[in-house]
Amino acid sequence: MILKKEKADIFLLLLLFILNGNNVIYNLFYILPTAVINLFYLCLVLLFSILFRVNIYLNKRFIILFIMFLILLITQSFLLNDRPIIGKVVRYFFNFSIGYLIFSFIDRGSLSFLKNIIKFIVISSLVVWIPTSILLDIFNINVLNFIPSVLRWQGSANSLDYSHILIYNFRNIDNNIYFWFRNSSFYWEPGAFAGTLLMVYLIAILYRNVFSVKNFKELEFWIIIGVLSSLSTSGLLILPFIFLYSRFQSKNRINEYLKYFLFIVPTLALLIYFAFNFLPVLGDKILSQLDLVSLEKSGSDSTRLGSLLFLWNLILDQPFIGYGLFVDSSNWYDLLESLYFNSDHEIGNGFGLLLAQCGVIFSFFFFYLIFININSFYKSYFSSFFILIVLLLILQSQAWFNYPVIYLFAYLNFNKR
């Protein structure tokens, strides 16, 4: 029987992963200013802590992260001579705070419910995705056309595609360039769905001792099903790395990693070769992006590869503090256009975007904080380095710093109560 506190833990964990990409919920149907919405969610978690009499303590890594953001904000305000936008300031502080508050509230044992949460998210998406795909790709029937416009919202604030119905996002159903409609679940796009699942996978590995063997394998199963259904290029390429690492990950076998490395590298090479040559969604997408970048075609700046190459020029021009994390979006895009950014889409590479907006110094310290945080509990440079590299790879596909889950790796106490 699930106790009241456990139900609250499950609700808040589910809320965290919903806020990591369901923009309709994150922005409360776009009816209130961002700062007000963020404060509402923070107060909600604090209210839970009061009702259940849970004390929330600040650990030193969270305080360090808070100070880093504060220093960045003050420095950019002085040196860039640009007025910070209060909504953006609140949003970034909210993103790295909400996860800390939730994980401080929940009991360690409740993390085993990650299996139930991910199972619910994936199955609920499959219930919509499978019949939608069959009707679209076999019978050429677009389900979205039968949903009233009053029940549809934007997948993101800047989107003109009203394809989100709160529990599912039909993004690109009208412009499906792949051989099969891709599963976004309720996230803003398939890559966001896959990226969230991969980060949950890493969190589950770090908290592996709270799971039974059966529960962990079931969690892995639903994560794999979700990533496969997304047909996300980055998701499908990164998933084998994490899966193989989870097979060999054990604090008692750290010295054997070098031996396993000799097995992992050729295995991954074969998997990537197979995926590139036999899965059209990967091979065609990668080749099309390389074609855009090499020929400098319009739209190349918003591809994952093109974005990084384009942003690299910005990073070199102003490497230390970046161009501003908290400035008005219109100012940011004016800057991009003045530097010949010619895409109709948003920047597609989260890693490059972080470096361009925040600068190399802040970015380095943030990733270093992730590394030392994981290593302080696992005493394994291999594990710490592996997880950091995987997070960097996940960042190549989405601007994850606009959402809360990635910050968890910088301050979570993986041995907490």
Side-chain angles (χ1 to χ4, degrees), residues 15-16 19 32 50 53 73 110 137 152 210 249 260 281 283-284 286 291 313 322 324 364 373 412-413:
L15 176 65
L16 177 64
L19 293 177
L32 293 172
I50 294 172
R53 298 180 181 180
L73 170 61
S110 294
D137 295 295
R152 291 155 55 177
V210 307
Q249 184 259 353
Y260 293 130
V281 67
D284 293 348
I286 292 173
D291 179 58
N313 296 322
F364 171 81
N373 185 48
L412 278 189
N413 184 341

Side-chain angles (χ1 to χ4, degrees), residues 190-206:
F193 179 37
T196 298
L197 292 176
L198 294 178
M199 286 188 278
V200 171
Y201 201 172
L202 291 176
I203 292 171
I205 290 173
L206 291 171

Side-chain angles (χ1 to χ4, degrees), residues 228-269:
L228 291 178
S229 69
S230 75
L231 295 176
S232 164
T233 307
S234 58
L236 293 174
L237 291 177
I238 296 171
L239 179 64
F241 285 85
I242 305 178
F243 178 78
L244 288 175
Y245 171 78
S246 74
R247 300 273 71 79
F248 303 127
Q249 184 259 353
S250 171
K251 288 186 286 187
N252 297 323
R253 298 189 296 177
I254 292 174
N255 293 331
E256 298 181 25
Y257 276 124
L258 186 59
K259 183 196 309 181
Y260 293 130
F261 182 79
L262 299 177
F263 166 77
I264 291 174
V265 170
T267 302
L268 288 177

